Amino acid sequence: DSGVTQTPKHLITATGQRVTLRCSPRSGDLSVYWYQQSLDQGLQFLIQYYNGEERAKGNILERFSAQQFPDLHSELNLSSLELGDSALYFCASSVLDWGGYYNEQFFGPGTRLTVL
Amino acid sequence: DQQVKQNSPSLSVQEGRISILNCDYTNSMFDYFLWYKKYPAEGPTFLISISSIKDKNEDGRFTVFLNKSAKHLSLHIVPSQPGDSAVYFCAASGRNSGNTPLVFGKGTRLSVIA
């Protein structure tokens, strides 16, 4: 157990809908990261927040948005969903900024999103 | 444009033998490299890392080798055990490597056969 929690574990929805994925980082971690893993793809970085502020942005679609709240939990909002958005969405956290660079990113178990 | 490449999607090895997983990178600004291991229905977990000032780092059965001139790293598992069967992701990072803190490869699925 990494200490990072994600809800829900599974989500099935229809095209055009909007969903919210939630992540609670490990206690004490200030950075939160969101990744998308599609079939046969690696972990694609979406966005990072550090202590409530957006820190880094990757290949995140305009239909997707995220935020980190004062209690440090984060939400990823996906709107106008398309079939191609079906994927595993992982959240990770780290103590410091720029996690992965001499400070480990700890991953949650993921949310599996299925868009029908 | 893939900055971190794992060209072997899968690898099968007999129990007790050596497993060698390979990874190539293109961004010369990467200076810290990691391997993550992932079991089904779980998130990736950190396995081992190496700084660019070293060419080898060892942790028990796991050793990572870095060849900076070739922009290549490899993970050796000796001896391989059935519990090592998982997907292994190579990842790279650098303070000035771009707008992504950690860049992952697509992974190699290792199957250790008893």
Side-chain angles (χ1 to χ4, degrees), chain A residues 33 35 37 40-43 45 48 55-58 88 90 97-102 104-105 107-109, chain B residues 31-32 34 36 38 41-44 46 51-52 89 93-95 97-102 104-106:
Chain A
Y33 312 80
Y35 292 87
Q37 185 185 19
D40 294 331
Q41 294 294 314
L43 292 153
F45 170 71
Q48 177 203 352
R55 174 65 179 88
K57 210 166 187 176
L88 267 170
F90 288 102
D97 186 15
W98 213 249
Y101 193 69
Y102 293 95
E104 185 181 338
Q105 285 190 27
F107 282 78
Chain B
D31 59 0
Y32 192 69
L34 308 88
Y36 274 78
K38 184 183 179 307
E42 295 181 12
F46 170 75
S51 162
S52 62
F89 291 99
S93 183
R95 255 307 168 191
S97 60
N99 63 348
T100 302
L102 198 55
F104 284 86
K106 291 189 177 183

mmCIF file of all heavy atoms in Angstrom, chain A residues 33 35 37 40-43 45 48 55-58 88 90 97-102 104-105 107-109, chain B residues 31-32 34 36 38 41-44 46 51-52 89 93-95 97-102 104-106:
data_model
loop_
_atom_site.group_PDB
_atom_site.id
_atom_site.type_symbol
_atom_site.label_atom_id
_atom_site.label_comp_id
_atom_site.label_asym_id
_atom_site.label_seq_id
_atom_site.Cartn_x
_atom_site.Cartn_y
_atom_site.Cartn_z
ATOM 1 N N TYR A 33 0.509 14.264 -8.998
ATOM 2 C CA TYR A 33 0.686 14.097 -10.437
ATOM 3 C C TYR A 33 -0.455 13.237 -10.971
ATOM 4 O O TYR A 33 -0.895 12.305 -10.311
ATOM 5 C CB TYR A 33 2.016 13.385 -10.742
ATOM 6 C CG TYR A 33 3.191 13.959 -10.017
ATOM 7 C CD1 TYR A 33 3.430 13.632 -8.681
ATOM 8 C CD2 TYR A 33 4.066 14.839 -10.644
ATOM 9 C CE1 TYR A 33 4.504 14.172 -7.991
ATOM 10 C CE2 TYR A 33 5.145 15.377 -9.966
ATOM 11 C CZ TYR A 33 5.348 15.042 -8.638
ATOM 12 O OH TYR A 33 6.414 15.587 -7.956
ATOM 13 N N TYR A 35 -1.558 10.823 -14.363
ATOM 14 C CA TYR A 35 -1.074 10.128 -15.546
ATOM 15 C C TYR A 35 -2.238 9.390 -16.197
ATOM 16 O O TYR A 35 -3.178 8.967 -15.526
ATOM 17 C CB TYR A 35 -0.022 9.080 -15.186
ATOM 18 C CG TYR A 35 1.291 9.630 -14.687
ATOM 19 C CD1 TYR A 35 1.481 9.927 -13.337
ATOM 20 C CD2 TYR A 35 2.353 9.828 -15.557
ATOM 21 C CE1 TYR A 35 2.688 10.417 -12.883
ATOM 22 C CE2 TYR A 35 3.576 10.310 -15.115
ATOM 23 C CZ TYR A 35 3.730 10.606 -13.776
ATOM 24 O OH TYR A 35 4.934 11.087 -13.320
ATOM 25 N N GLN A 37 -2.876 6.011 -18.700
ATOM 26 C CA GLN A 37 -2.299 4.845 -19.353
ATOM 27 C C GLN A 37 -3.352 4.200 -20.236
ATOM 28 O O GLN A 37 -4.269 3.554 -19.743
ATOM 29 C CB GLN A 37 -1.760 3.831 -18.349
ATOM 30 C CG GLN A 37 -1.037 2.674 -19.037
ATOM 31 C CD GLN A 37 -0.581 1.584 -18.095
ATOM 32 O OE1 GLN A 37 -1.058 1.465 -16.976
ATOM 33 N NE2 GLN A 37 0.355 0.777 -18.538
ATOM 34 N N ASP A 40 -1.626 -0.470 -24.364
ATOM 35 C CA ASP A 40 -0.326 -0.555 -25.017
ATOM 36 C C ASP A 40 0.479 0.740 -24.983
ATOM 37 O O ASP A 40 1.428 0.912 -25.740
ATOM 38 C CB ASP A 40 -0.454 -1.007 -26.481
ATOM 39 C CG ASP A 40 -0.967 -2.423 -26.583
ATOM 40 O OD1 ASP A 40 -0.708 -3.208 -25.653
ATOM 41 O OD2 ASP A 40 -1.629 -2.735 -27.575
ATOM 42 N N GLN A 41 0.070 1.638 -24.113
ATOM 43 C CA GLN A 41 0.826 2.879 -23.981
ATOM 44 C C GLN A 41 1.465 2.943 -22.603
ATOM 45 O O GLN A 41 1.001 2.338 -21.656
ATOM 46 C CB GLN A 41 -0.112 4.087 -24.159
ATOM 47 C CG GLN A 41 -0.688 4.225 -25.545
ATOM 48 C CD GLN A 41 0.372 4.527 -26.573
ATOM 49 O OE1 GLN A 41 1.237 5.380 -26.370
ATOM 50 N NE2 GLN A 41 0.339 3.822 -27.681
ATOM 51 N N GLY A 42 2.515 3.684 -22.528
ATOM 52 C CA GLY A 42 3.147 3.908 -21.238
ATOM 53 C C GLY A 42 2.334 4.897 -20.430
ATOM 54 O O GLY A 42 1.202 5.229 -20.773
ATOM 55 N N LEU A 43 2.926 5.351 -19.370
ATOM 56 C CA LEU A 43 2.270 6.329 -18.512
ATOM 57 C C LEU A 43 2.484 7.719 -19.104
ATOM 58 O O LEU A 43 3.600 8.227 -19.129
ATOM 59 C CB LEU A 43 2.858 6.245 -17.106
ATOM 60 C CG LEU A 43 2.525 4.948 -16.378
ATOM 61 C CD1 LEU A 43 3.574 4.609 -15.351
ATOM 62 C CD2 LEU A 43 1.168 5.067 -15.713
ATOM 63 N N PHE A 45 2.149 11.557 -18.847
ATOM 64 C CA PHE A 45 2.004 12.590 -17.831
ATOM 65 C C PHE A 45 0.970 13.614 -18.268
ATOM 66 O O PHE A 45 0.995 14.108 -19.394
ATOM 67 C CB PHE A 45 3.359 13.257 -17.599
ATOM 68 C CG PHE A 45 3.312 14.489 -16.750
ATOM 69 C CD1 PHE A 45 3.047 14.395 -15.392
ATOM 70 C CD2 PHE A 45 3.543 15.733 -17.298
ATOM 71 C CE1 PHE A 45 3.009 15.532 -14.607
ATOM 72 C CE2 PHE A 45 3.510 16.872 -16.524
ATOM 73 C CZ PHE A 45 3.251 16.772 -15.168
ATOM 74 N N GLN A 48 0.860 18.296 -13.038
ATOM 75 C CA GLN A 48 1.361 18.249 -11.667
ATOM 76 C C GLN A 48 0.911 19.491 -10.904
ATOM 77 O O GLN A 48 0.925 20.604 -11.437
ATOM 78 C CB GLN A 48 2.885 18.210 -11.626
ATOM 79 C CG GLN A 48 3.451 18.232 -10.201
ATOM 80 C CD GLN A 48 4.888 18.730 -10.106
ATOM 81 O OE1 GLN A 48 5.561 18.932 -11.111
ATOM 82 N NE2 GLN A 48 5.363 18.917 -8.885
ATOM 83 N N ARG A 55 2.125 23.153 -11.434
ATOM 84 C CA ARG A 55 3.591 23.205 -11.514
ATOM 85 C C ARG A 55 4.108 22.790 -12.891
ATOM 86 O O ARG A 55 5.067 23.350 -13.377
ATOM 87 C CB ARG A 55 4.171 22.298 -10.431
ATOM 88 C CG ARG A 55 5.669 22.124 -10.467
ATOM 89 C CD ARG A 55 6.403 23.418 -10.181
ATOM 90 N NE ARG A 55 7.834 23.234 -10.197
ATOM 91 C CZ ARG A 55 8.586 23.323 -11.287
ATOM 92 N NH1 ARG A 55 8.038 23.579 -12.461
ATOM 93 N NH2 ARG A 55 9.895 23.155 -11.202
ATOM 94 N N ALA A 56 3.505 21.770 -13.470
ATOM 95 C CA ALA A 56 3.953 21.292 -14.772
ATOM 96 C C ALA A 56 2.761 20.721 -15.521
ATOM 97 O O ALA A 56 1.828 20.201 -14.927
ATOM 98 C CB ALA A 56 5.039 20.220 -14.630
ATOM 99 N N LYS A 57 2.825 20.882 -16.837
ATOM 100 C CA LYS A 57 1.716 20.429 -17.664
ATOM 101 C C LYS A 57 2.260 19.585 -18.796
ATOM 102 O O LYS A 57 3.207 19.974 -19.465
ATOM 103 C CB LYS A 57 0.979 21.647 -18.231
ATOM 104 C CG LYS A 57 -0.475 21.470 -18.488
ATOM 105 C CD LYS A 57 -1.131 22.829 -18.721
ATOM 106 C CE LYS A 57 -2.620 22.704 -18.826
ATOM 107 N NZ LYS A 57 -3.276 24.014 -18.954
ATOM 108 N N GLY A 58 1.632 18.441 -19.010
ATOM 109 C CA GLY A 58 2.048 17.571 -20.103
ATOM 110 C C GLY A 58 1.016 17.571 -21.199
ATOM 111 O O GLY A 58 0.441 18.589 -21.543
ATOM 112 N N LEU A 88 -6.648 3.797 -17.968
ATOM 113 C CA LEU A 88 -6.355 3.814 -16.530
ATOM 114 C C LEU A 88 -5.792 5.183 -16.201
ATOM 115 O O LEU A 88 -4.894 5.676 -16.898
ATOM 116 C CB LEU A 88 -5.307 2.766 -16.194
ATOM 117 C CG LEU A 88 -5.759 1.382 -15.758
ATOM 118 C CD1 LEU A 88 -4.595 0.433 -15.702
ATOM 119 C CD2 LEU A 88 -6.460 1.443 -14.410
ATOM 120 N N PHE A 90 -3.852 7.238 -13.309
ATOM 121 C CA PHE A 90 -3.107 7.102 -12.068
ATOM 122 C C PHE A 90 -2.815 8.476 -11.477
ATOM 123 O O PHE A 90 -2.533 9.434 -12.188
ATOM 124 C CB PHE A 90 -1.772 6.387 -12.302
ATOM 125 C CG PHE A 90 -1.907 4.917 -12.591
ATOM 126 C CD1 PHE A 90 -1.792 4.442 -13.891
ATOM 127 C CD2 PHE A 90 -2.137 4.017 -11.570
ATOM 128 C CE1 PHE A 90 -1.914 3.096 -14.166
ATOM 129 C CE2 PHE A 90 -2.263 2.656 -11.827
ATOM 130 C CZ PHE A 90 -2.153 2.194 -13.129
ATOM 131 N N ASP A 97 8.780 19.026 -4.765
ATOM 132 C CA ASP A 97 8.468 19.375 -6.142
ATOM 133 C C ASP A 97 9.295 18.506 -7.081
ATOM 134 O O ASP A 97 10.317 17.948 -6.683
ATOM 135 C CB ASP A 97 8.810 20.850 -6.342
ATOM 136 C CG ASP A 97 8.383 21.366 -7.697
ATOM 137 O OD1 ASP A 97 7.572 20.687 -8.375
ATOM 138 O OD2 ASP A 97 8.855 22.442 -8.088
ATOM 139 N N TRP A 98 8.830 18.380 -8.298
ATOM 140 C CA TRP A 98 9.552 17.676 -9.363
ATOM 141 C C TRP A 98 9.867 16.243 -8.937
ATOM 142 O O TRP A 98 10.992 15.767 -8.981
ATOM 143 C CB TRP A 98 10.829 18.437 -9.730
ATOM 144 C CG TRP A 98 11.187 18.320 -11.190
ATOM 145 C CD1 TRP A 98 12.236 17.662 -11.744
ATOM 146 C CD2 TRP A 98 10.468 18.882 -12.293
ATOM 147 N NE1 TRP A 98 12.226 17.780 -13.106
ATOM 148 C CE2 TRP A 98 11.144 18.516 -13.483
ATOM 149 C CE3 TRP A 98 9.317 19.655 -12.408
ATOM 150 C CZ2 TRP A 98 10.706 18.907 -14.742
ATOM 151 C CZ3 TRP A 98 8.883 20.038 -13.656
ATOM 152 C CH2 TRP A 98 9.566 19.666 -14.809
ATOM 153 N N GLY A 99 8.831 15.571 -8.509
ATOM 154 C CA GLY A 99 8.973 14.193 -8.073
ATOM 155 C C GLY A 99 9.501 13.284 -9.154
ATOM 156 O O GLY A 99 9.132 13.410 -10.315
ATOM 157 N N GLY A 100 10.366 12.369 -8.748
ATOM 158 C CA GLY A 100 11.041 11.498 -9.698
ATOM 159 C C GLY A 100 12.499 11.886 -9.770
ATOM 160 O O GLY A 100 13.357 11.046 -10.042
ATOM 161 N N TYR A 101 12.784 13.142 -9.511
ATOM 162 C CA TYR A 101 14.158 13.631 -9.544
ATOM 163 C C TYR A 101 14.692 13.623 -8.126
ATOM 164 O O TYR A 101 14.518 14.572 -7.369
ATOM 165 C CB TYR A 101 14.217 15.033 -10.155
ATOM 166 C CG TYR A 101 15.615 15.492 -10.500
ATOM 167 C CD1 TYR A 101 16.312 14.896 -11.537
ATOM 168 C CD2 TYR A 101 16.226 16.520 -9.787
ATOM 169 C CE1 TYR A 101 17.590 15.305 -11.865
ATOM 170 C CE2 TYR A 101 17.503 16.940 -10.113
ATOM 171 C CZ TYR A 101 18.182 16.330 -11.155
ATOM 172 O OH TYR A 101 19.437 16.739 -11.476
ATOM 173 N N TYR A 102 15.303 12.516 -7.746
ATOM 174 C CA TYR A 102 15.855 12.334 -6.410
ATOM 175 C C TYR A 102 14.803 12.365 -5.299
ATOM 176 O O TYR A 102 15.145 12.462 -4.130
ATOM 177 C CB TYR A 102 16.963 13.357 -6.101
ATOM 178 C CG TYR A 102 18.192 13.170 -6.954
ATOM 179 C CD1 TYR A 102 18.372 13.900 -8.119
ATOM 180 C CD2 TYR A 102 19.170 12.245 -6.607
ATOM 181 C CE1 TYR A 102 19.493 13.721 -8.922
ATOM 182 C CE2 TYR A 102 20.299 12.060 -7.399
ATOM 183 C CZ TYR A 102 20.446 12.805 -8.547
ATOM 184 O OH TYR A 102 21.551 12.629 -9.337
ATOM 185 N N GLU A 104 11.069 10.227 -4.680
ATOM 186 C CA GLU A 104 10.237 9.216 -5.314
ATOM 187 C C GLU A 104 8.802 9.681 -5.497
ATOM 188 O O GLU A 104 8.242 10.385 -4.656
ATOM 189 C CB GLU A 104 10.252 7.956 -4.447
ATOM 190 C CG GLU A 104 9.525 6.761 -5.027
ATOM 191 C CD GLU A 104 9.579 5.579 -4.094
ATOM 192 O OE1 GLU A 104 10.485 5.526 -3.242
ATOM 193 O OE2 GLU A 104 8.711 4.696 -4.230
ATOM 194 N N GLN A 105 8.213 9.267 -6.623
ATOM 195 C CA GLN A 105 6.771 9.409 -6.803
ATOM 196 C C GLN A 105 6.127 8.100 -6.364
ATOM 197 O O GLN A 105 6.530 7.025 -6.807
ATOM 198 C CB GLN A 105 6.431 9.677 -8.273
ATOM 199 C CG GLN A 105 6.735 11.085 -8.741
ATOM 200 C CD GLN A 105 6.160 11.369 -10.114
ATOM 201 O OE1 GLN A 105 5.163 10.778 -10.523
ATOM 202 N NE2 GLN A 105 6.774 12.298 -10.835
ATOM 203 N N PHE A 107 2.657 5.911 -6.331
ATOM 204 C CA PHE A 107 1.465 5.827 -7.162
ATOM 205 C C PHE A 107 0.289 5.202 -6.428
ATOM 206 O O PHE A 107 0.458 4.262 -5.631
ATOM 207 C CB PHE A 107 1.745 4.989 -8.410
ATOM 208 C CG PHE A 107 2.503 5.725 -9.469
ATOM 209 C CD1 PHE A 107 3.874 5.919 -9.363
ATOM 210 C CD2 PHE A 107 1.846 6.252 -10.573
ATOM 211 C CE1 PHE A 107 4.574 6.610 -10.336
ATOM 212 C CE2 PHE A 107 2.545 6.946 -11.560
ATOM 213 C CZ PHE A 107 3.909 7.122 -11.433
ATOM 214 N N GLY A 108 -0.899 5.698 -6.743
ATOM 215 C CA GLY A 108 -2.120 5.073 -6.296
ATOM 216 C C GLY A 108 -2.472 3.887 -7.172
ATOM 217 O O GLY A 108 -1.790 3.630 -8.171
ATOM 218 N N PRO A 109 -3.553 3.163 -6.848
ATOM 219 C CA PRO A 109 -3.927 1.954 -7.591
ATOM 220 C C PRO A 109 -4.603 2.238 -8.918
ATOM 221 O O PRO A 109 -4.773 1.339 -9.730
ATOM 222 C CB PRO A 109 -4.881 1.231 -6.643
ATOM 223 C CG PRO A 109 -5.468 2.332 -5.822
ATOM 224 C CD PRO A 109 -4.400 3.360 -5.661
ATOM 225 N N ASP B 31 19.242 13.247 -16.340
ATOM 226 C CA ASP B 31 20.402 12.860 -15.556
ATOM 227 C C ASP B 31 20.035 11.985 -14.355
ATOM 228 O O ASP B 31 20.859 11.794 -13.448
ATOM 229 C CB ASP B 31 21.216 14.085 -15.114
ATOM 230 C CG ASP B 31 20.408 15.052 -14.273
ATOM 231 O OD1 ASP B 31 19.217 14.790 -14.027
ATOM 232 O OD2 ASP B 31 20.975 16.079 -13.850
ATOM 233 N N TYR B 32 18.815 11.488 -14.337
ATOM 234 C CA TYR B 32 18.395 10.593 -13.263
ATOM 235 C C TYR B 32 17.424 9.605 -13.859
ATOM 236 O O TYR B 32 16.481 9.993 -14.558
ATOM 237 C CB TYR B 32 17.753 11.399 -12.133
ATOM 238 C CG TYR B 32 17.547 10.626 -10.857
ATOM 239 C CD1 TYR B 32 18.631 10.230 -10.087
ATOM 240 C CD2 TYR B 32 16.272 10.302 -10.404
ATOM 241 C CE1 TYR B 32 18.460 9.526 -8.915
ATOM 242 C CE2 TYR B 32 16.092 9.606 -9.233
ATOM 243 C CZ TYR B 32 17.191 9.216 -8.492
ATOM 244 O OH TYR B 32 17.013 8.527 -7.319
ATOM 245 N N LEU B 34 15.153 5.799 -13.489
ATOM 246 C CA LEU B 34 14.473 4.948 -12.512
ATOM 247 C C LEU B 34 13.841 3.756 -13.218
ATOM 248 O O LEU B 34 13.522 3.812 -14.400
ATOM 249 C CB LEU B 34 13.362 5.727 -11.809
ATOM 250 C CG LEU B 34 13.703 7.076 -11.170
ATOM 251 C CD1 LEU B 34 13.552 8.214 -12.165
ATOM 252 C CD2 LEU B 34 12.793 7.339 -9.971
ATOM 253 N N TYR B 36 10.478 1.238 -12.486
ATOM 254 C CA TYR B 36 9.289 0.979 -11.708
ATOM 255 C C TYR B 36 8.762 -0.397 -12.113
ATOM 256 O O TYR B 36 8.902 -0.819 -13.262
ATOM 257 C CB TYR B 36 8.210 2.031 -11.990
ATOM 258 C CG TYR B 36 8.309 3.279 -11.160
ATOM 259 C CD1 TYR B 36 9.229 4.272 -11.452
ATOM 260 C CD2 TYR B 36 7.466 3.476 -10.066
ATOM 261 C CE1 TYR B 36 9.308 5.422 -10.694
ATOM 262 C CE2 TYR B 36 7.531 4.628 -9.298
ATOM 263 C CZ TYR B 36 8.461 5.594 -9.616
ATOM 264 O OH TYR B 36 8.530 6.739 -8.853
ATOM 265 N N LYS B 38 5.264 -2.930 -12.028
ATOM 266 C CA LYS B 38 3.810 -2.841 -11.892
ATOM 267 C C LYS B 38 3.167 -4.215 -12.005
ATOM 268 O O LYS B 38 3.322 -4.908 -13.009
ATOM 269 C CB LYS B 38 3.234 -1.900 -12.960
ATOM 270 C CG LYS B 38 1.736 -1.685 -12.805
ATOM 271 C CD LYS B 38 1.180 -0.823 -13.904
ATOM 272 C CE LYS B 38 -0.326 -0.641 -13.759
ATOM 273 N NZ LYS B 38 -1.074 -1.890 -13.645
ATOM 274 N N ALA B 41 -3.646 -4.545 -11.596
ATOM 275 C CA ALA B 41 -4.586 -3.936 -10.651
ATOM 276 C C ALA B 41 -3.890 -3.156 -9.532
ATOM 277 O O ALA B 41 -4.504 -2.864 -8.499
ATOM 278 C CB ALA B 41 -5.522 -4.979 -10.044
ATOM 279 N N GLU B 42 -2.621 -2.827 -9.732
ATOM 280 C CA GLU B 42 -1.898 -2.000 -8.769
ATOM 281 C C GLU B 42 -1.206 -0.864 -9.506
ATOM 282 O O GLU B 42 -0.979 -0.929 -10.717
ATOM 283 C CB GLU B 42 -0.853 -2.814 -8.016
ATOM 284 C CG GLU B 42 -1.431 -3.899 -7.137
ATOM 285 C CD GLU B 42 -0.339 -4.656 -6.381
ATOM 286 O OE1 GLU B 42 0.817 -4.197 -6.377
ATOM 287 O OE2 GLU B 42 -0.654 -5.700 -5.802
ATOM 288 N N GLY B 43 -0.841 0.178 -8.755
ATOM 289 C CA GLY B 43 -0.049 1.236 -9.353
ATOM 290 C C GLY B 43 1.417 0.834 -9.422
ATOM 291 O O GLY B 43 1.847 -0.104 -8.750
ATOM 292 N N PRO B 44 2.195 1.524 -10.255
ATOM 293 C CA PRO B 44 3.630 1.238 -10.317
ATOM 294 C C PRO B 44 4.301 1.498 -8.973
ATOM 295 O O PRO B 44 3.911 2.409 -8.237
ATOM 296 C CB PRO B 44 4.133 2.230 -11.362
ATOM 297 C CG PRO B 44 2.930 2.634 -12.145
ATOM 298 C CD PRO B 44 1.790 2.590 -11.182
ATOM 299 N N PHE B 46 8.251 1.970 -7.157
ATOM 300 C CA PHE B 46 9.658 2.251 -7.413
ATOM 301 C C PHE B 46 10.505 1.024 -7.105
ATOM 302 O O PHE B 46 10.309 0.328 -6.103
ATOM 303 C CB PHE B 46 10.100 3.431 -6.553
ATOM 304 C CG PHE B 46 11.578 3.659 -6.553
ATOM 305 C CD1 PHE B 46 12.201 4.229 -7.647
ATOM 306 C CD2 PHE B 46 12.346 3.305 -5.458
ATOM 307 C CE1 PHE B 46 13.569 4.438 -7.652
ATOM 308 C CE2 PHE B 46 13.703 3.506 -5.450
ATOM 309 C CZ PHE B 46 14.323 4.072 -6.547
ATOM 310 N N SER B 51 21.852 7.681 -10.777
ATOM 311 C CA SER B 51 22.213 9.032 -11.188
ATOM 312 C C SER B 51 23.201 8.949 -12.348
ATOM 313 O O SER B 51 23.950 7.973 -12.471
ATOM 314 C CB SER B 51 22.852 9.747 -10.001
ATOM 315 O OG SER B 51 23.575 10.873 -10.427
ATOM 316 N N SER B 52 23.237 9.992 -13.142
ATOM 317 C CA SER B 52 24.127 9.985 -14.303
ATOM 318 C C SER B 52 25.605 10.065 -13.928
ATOM 319 O O SER B 52 26.469 9.881 -14.782
ATOM 320 C CB SER B 52 23.781 11.137 -15.246
ATOM 321 O OG SER B 52 23.957 12.372 -14.593
ATOM 322 N N PHE B 89 8.697 -0.571 -16.007
ATOM 323 C CA PHE B 89 8.774 0.704 -16.707
ATOM 324 C C PHE B 89 10.107 1.370 -16.420
ATOM 325 O O PHE B 89 10.522 1.492 -15.267
ATOM 326 C CB PHE B 89 7.653 1.646 -16.248
ATOM 327 C CG PHE B 89 6.275 1.228 -16.684
ATOM 328 C CD1 PHE B 89 5.431 0.559 -15.812
ATOM 329 C CD2 PHE B 89 5.818 1.518 -17.958
ATOM 330 C CE1 PHE B 89 4.155 0.180 -16.201
ATOM 331 C CE2 PHE B 89 4.543 1.153 -18.364
ATOM 332 C CZ PHE B 89 3.716 0.470 -17.478
ATOM 333 N N SER B 93 14.419 11.470 -15.671
ATOM 334 C CA SER B 93 14.107 12.799 -15.140
ATOM 335 C C SER B 93 15.334 13.694 -15.248
ATOM 336 O O SER B 93 16.466 13.215 -15.358
ATOM 337 C CB SER B 93 13.670 12.674 -13.674
ATOM 338 O OG SER B 93 13.298 13.933 -13.138
ATOM 339 N N GLY B 94 15.089 14.994 -15.201
ATOM 340 C CA GLY B 94 16.183 15.953 -15.209
ATOM 341 C C GLY B 94 15.641 17.310 -14.825
ATOM 342 O O GLY B 94 14.501 17.637 -15.175
ATOM 343 N N ARG B 95 16.413 18.084 -14.090
ATOM 344 C CA ARG B 95 15.927 19.388 -13.637
ATOM 345 C C ARG B 95 15.589 20.305 -14.803
ATOM 346 O O ARG B 95 14.668 21.111 -14.735
ATOM 347 C CB ARG B 95 16.981 20.068 -12.761
ATOM 348 C CG ARG B 95 16.692 20.077 -11.275
ATOM 349 C CD ARG B 95 15.342 20.638 -10.953
ATOM 350 N NE ARG B 95 14.936 20.398 -9.573
ATOM 351 C CZ ARG B 95 13.733 20.612 -9.119
ATOM 352 N NH1 ARG B 95 12.802 21.055 -9.908
ATOM 353 N NH2 ARG B 95 13.436 20.377 -7.857
ATOM 354 N N SER B 97 15.094 19.141 -18.130
ATOM 355 C CA SER B 97 14.867 18.243 -19.262
ATOM 356 C C SER B 97 13.578 18.534 -20.008
ATOM 357 O O SER B 97 13.279 17.889 -21.007
ATOM 358 C CB SER B 97 14.852 16.790 -18.779
ATOM 359 O OG SER B 97 13.811 16.602 -17.830
ATOM 360 N N GLY B 98 12.801 19.474 -19.528
ATOM 361 C CA GLY B 98 11.544 19.772 -20.200
ATOM 362 C C GLY B 98 10.452 20.050 -19.188
ATOM 363 O O GLY B 98 10.717 20.346 -18.036
ATOM 364 N N ASN B 99 9.197 19.912 -19.641
ATOM 365 C CA ASN B 99 8.077 20.273 -18.776
ATOM 366 C C ASN B 99 7.445 19.066 -18.093
ATOM 367 O O ASN B 99 6.339 19.146 -17.572
ATOM 368 C CB ASN B 99 7.015 21.023 -19.592
ATOM 369 C CG ASN B 99 6.439 20.151 -20.692
ATOM 370 O OD1 ASN B 99 6.976 19.086 -20.988
ATOM 371 N ND2 ASN B 99 5.347 20.583 -21.298
ATOM 372 N N THR B 100 8.127 17.937 -18.101
ATOM 373 C CA THR B 100 7.607 16.724 -17.475
ATOM 374 C C THR B 100 8.593 16.229 -16.431
ATOM 375 O O THR B 100 9.737 15.919 -16.773
ATOM 376 C CB THR B 100 7.383 15.627 -18.533
ATOM 377 O OG1 THR B 100 6.484 16.125 -19.522
ATOM 378 C CG2 THR B 100 6.798 14.382 -17.908
ATOM 379 N N PRO B 101 8.155 16.134 -15.151
ATOM 380 C CA PRO B 101 9.092 15.716 -14.100
ATOM 381 C C PRO B 101 9.664 14.316 -14.324
ATOM 382 O O PRO B 101 10.839 14.066 -14.036
ATOM 383 C CB PRO B 101 8.233 15.754 -12.833
ATOM 384 C CG PRO B 101 7.129 16.696 -13.145
ATOM 385 C CD PRO B 101 6.845 16.530 -14.607
ATOM 386 N N LEU B 102 8.820 13.406 -14.828
ATOM 387 C CA LEU B 102 9.236 12.018 -14.989
ATOM 388 C C LEU B 102 8.643 11.505 -16.296
ATOM 389 O O LEU B 102 7.435 11.558 -16.493
ATOM 390 C CB LEU B 102 8.723 11.196 -13.798
ATOM 391 C CG LEU B 102 9.334 9.849 -13.500
ATOM 392 C CD1 LEU B 102 10.831 9.942 -13.331
ATOM 393 C CD2 LEU B 102 8.695 9.259 -12.241
ATOM 394 N N PHE B 104 8.131 8.325 -18.816
ATOM 395 C CA PHE B 104 8.112 6.853 -18.781
ATOM 396 C C PHE B 104 8.199 6.247 -20.170
ATOM 397 O O PHE B 104 7.697 6.816 -21.149
ATOM 398 C CB PHE B 104 6.818 6.366 -18.129
ATOM 399 C CG PHE B 104 6.777 6.497 -16.638
ATOM 400 C CD1 PHE B 104 6.362 7.683 -16.034
ATOM 401 C CD2 PHE B 104 7.144 5.433 -15.823
ATOM 402 C CE1 PHE B 104 6.327 7.805 -14.657
ATOM 403 C CE2 PHE B 104 7.104 5.542 -14.439
ATOM 404 C CZ PHE B 104 6.702 6.727 -13.848
ATOM 405 N N GLY B 105 8.795 5.059 -20.243
ATOM 406 C CA GLY B 105 8.702 4.236 -21.436
ATOM 407 C C GLY B 105 7.389 3.478 -21.413
ATOM 408 O O GLY B 105 6.601 3.590 -20.468
ATOM 409 N N LYS B 106 7.151 2.674 -22.459
ATOM 410 C CA LYS B 106 5.876 1.960 -22.568
ATOM 411 C C LYS B 106 5.846 0.682 -21.749
ATOM 412 O O LYS B 106 4.790 0.079 -21.590
ATOM 413 C CB LYS B 106 5.582 1.634 -24.036
ATOM 414 C CG LYS B 106 5.259 2.856 -24.874
ATOM 415 C CD LYS B 106 4.778 2.455 -26.244
ATOM 416 C CE LYS B 106 4.380 3.691 -27.042
ATOM 417 N NZ LYS B 106 3.827 3.336 -28.368
#
